[in-house]
Amino acid sequence: MYAVGVDIGGTKIAVGVVDDDGRILEQVRRPTQPEAPESIDAAIADAVTELATRYEFEAVGLAAAGFVSSDRERVLFAPNIAWRDYPLAQRVASKLYRTDLHIVVENDANAAGWAEFAYGPARDVSSMIMLTIGTGLGGAIITDGQLVRGSAGFAAELGHVRVVPDGHPCGCGHRGCWEQYASGSALVREAKRAASERSVRAADLLRRADGHASAIKGPHVTAAADAGDELGIELLHELGHWIGAGAASMSAVLDPEMYVIGGGVVAAGDLLLKPARESYSAALPALGHRPIADIVPASMGNDAGIVGAAALARDSAGVSGSSRTGGIL
Ligand SMILES: [Zn+2]
């Protein structure tokens, strides 16, 4: 049975038809305006209506970058889209060609985590944590086959676990949050700092950014490290360290079998994951007397949000066919 997944970004949406095996059969995109939630509702309804002319489906999952209510109908708050206690599922439903489609809203990091759990490297485990290393640090927790959403939908905001008392300020209003150390933004911040303080050592990095420290981006760092540049390798090592050290604290709480690491920077492979594994083991409580969780790269790339949202919507609609069921609390 097919289902539709919608990945709602700041300036565009991507909408895909997904089959039982997590494959996207067709994908369409529409531009949106983040300050105008109605434009997002209309774009989703338009894309879903278009796909319905070519495919049959009963369920639509909306992956939203925001805090989603535990009944999965509303976005309570989003940092980059003007959703404030917004009844997203109902608003989209009101614009659709038929009224009986099953629509659920899901946090985007949860949707991505579910895709990796159902179809990716975590398909054979029952407990995992996904960390998406992007602008921030997105988290998804699956324990005993269930997504952990929390009492009101605010769980798994792992990026805002404090790891450094009085550390770097965070957009959430506090200091020292994990995402200020384990994110693409942290990598770029440290790369820029190194380039402006030690320009000789940063020669390779600066060359890749046309000579301007302020123009350095994450892919410059991974490309430099890939080519053997010492500073690039060191910067990825530092990022990996923060990922692993923080994960050890997560294991003290949740004891997952696996960490799946997503985001563009995982293209760096073992330059990132090896230091992550080392720091994880080094900080793990009761080391030597417990299993050590695998830390592996995500496999679904940018499609994870669409695939996971579709699978979760299909499961909650009670339609059989997903490789995993029971994810709905
Ligand atoms: Zn924070």
Side-chain angles (χ1 to χ4, degrees):
M1 175 63 76
Y2 300 152
V4 166
V6 183
D7 187 357
I8 308 171
T11 56
K12 67 174 187 313
I13 58 163
V15 186
V17 178
V18 181
D19 73 7
D20 288 347
D21 297 319
R23 281 184 301 244
I24 297 179
L25 306 176
E26 184 179 344
Q27 188 176 145
V28 297
R29 290 164 186 269
R30 295 282 188 282
T32 59
Q33 298 154 302
E35 70 283 1
E38 323 77 61
S39 80
I40 298 173
D41 305 339
I44 294 169
D46 184 59
V48 170
T49 302
E50 182 195 324
L51 290 169
T53 63
R54 297 192 283 281
Y55 303 89
E56 266 189 43
F57 49 84
E58 302 295 323
V60 177
L62 309 176
F67 295 95
V68 175
S69 63
S70 49
D71 61 9
R72 302 192 296 154
E73 292 182 0
R74 311 169 75 83
V75 184
L76 302 169
F77 171 76
N80 300 313
I81 293 176
W83 285 322
R84 302 292 181 266
D85 196 16
Y86 192 78
L88 181 62
Q90 183 248 316
R91 293 289 172 86
V92 170
S94 72
K95 291 185 163 58
L96 279 172
Y97 61 100
R98 52 183 269 205
T99 55
D100 58 341
L101 274 182
H102 183 73
I103 302 176
V104 298
V105 185
E106 194 66 61
N107 170 268
D108 60 343
N110 281 353
W114 190 259
E116 302 292 345
F117 177 69
Y119 306 109
R123 62 188 171 276
D124 295 322
V125 307
S126 60
S127 297
M128 60 151 263
I129 292 177
M130 180 162 180
L131 303 172
T132 302
I133 313 296
T135 308
L137 171 61
I141 299 169
I142 294 167
T143 290
D144 298 332
Q146 306 271 328
L147 257 179
V148 175
R149 296 189 173 87
S151 59
F154 289 78
E157 288 292 329
L158 302 183
H160 300 286
V161 171
R162 185 183 301 175
V163 296
V164 177
D166 298 323
H168 289 292
C170 181
C172 73
H174 298 283
R175 282 179 169 273
C177 294
W178 194 9
E179 76 172 20
Q180 295 306 318
Y181 301 85
S183 65
S185 305
L187 177 71
V188 169
R189 180 194 66 220
E190 293 305 312
K192 287 177 176 172
R193 184 162 75 182
S196 48
E197 286 174 1
R198 300 175 289 171
S199 59
V200 175
R201 196 152 176 261
D204 186 1
L205 253 186
L206 282 166
R207 182 175 54 77
R208 291 171 193 277
D210 294 329
H212 301 294
S214 61
I216 292 175
K217 295 191 163 50
H220 297 138
V221 182
T222 48
D226 244 348
D229 175 59
E230 207 176 285
L231 176 60
I233 291 169
E234 187 181 299
L235 289 163
L236 286 178
H237 193 283
E238 182 76 1
L239 175 60
H241 160 72
W242 283 112
I243 293 170
S249 295
M250 297 301 106
S251 283
V253 183
L254 293 158
D255 187 25
E257 292 169 73
M258 182 179 281
Y259 287 87
V260 178
I261 312 298
V265 75
V266 290
D270 278 350
L271 287 171
L272 177 75
L273 297 181
K274 188 164 176 281
R277 292 178 188 121
E278 288 168 356
S279 289
Y280 174 72
S281 297
L284 198 59
L287 182 63
H289 306 279
R290 63 182 294 167
I292 297 176
D294 291 325
I295 299 180
V296 302
S299 68
M300 312 285 293
N302 290 333
D303 293 340
I306 291 175
V307 173
L312 286 162
R314 180 171 47 214
D315 291 353
S316 74
V319 183
S320 62
S322 172
S323 68
R324 296 268 197 172
T325 53
I328 310 309
L329 290 173

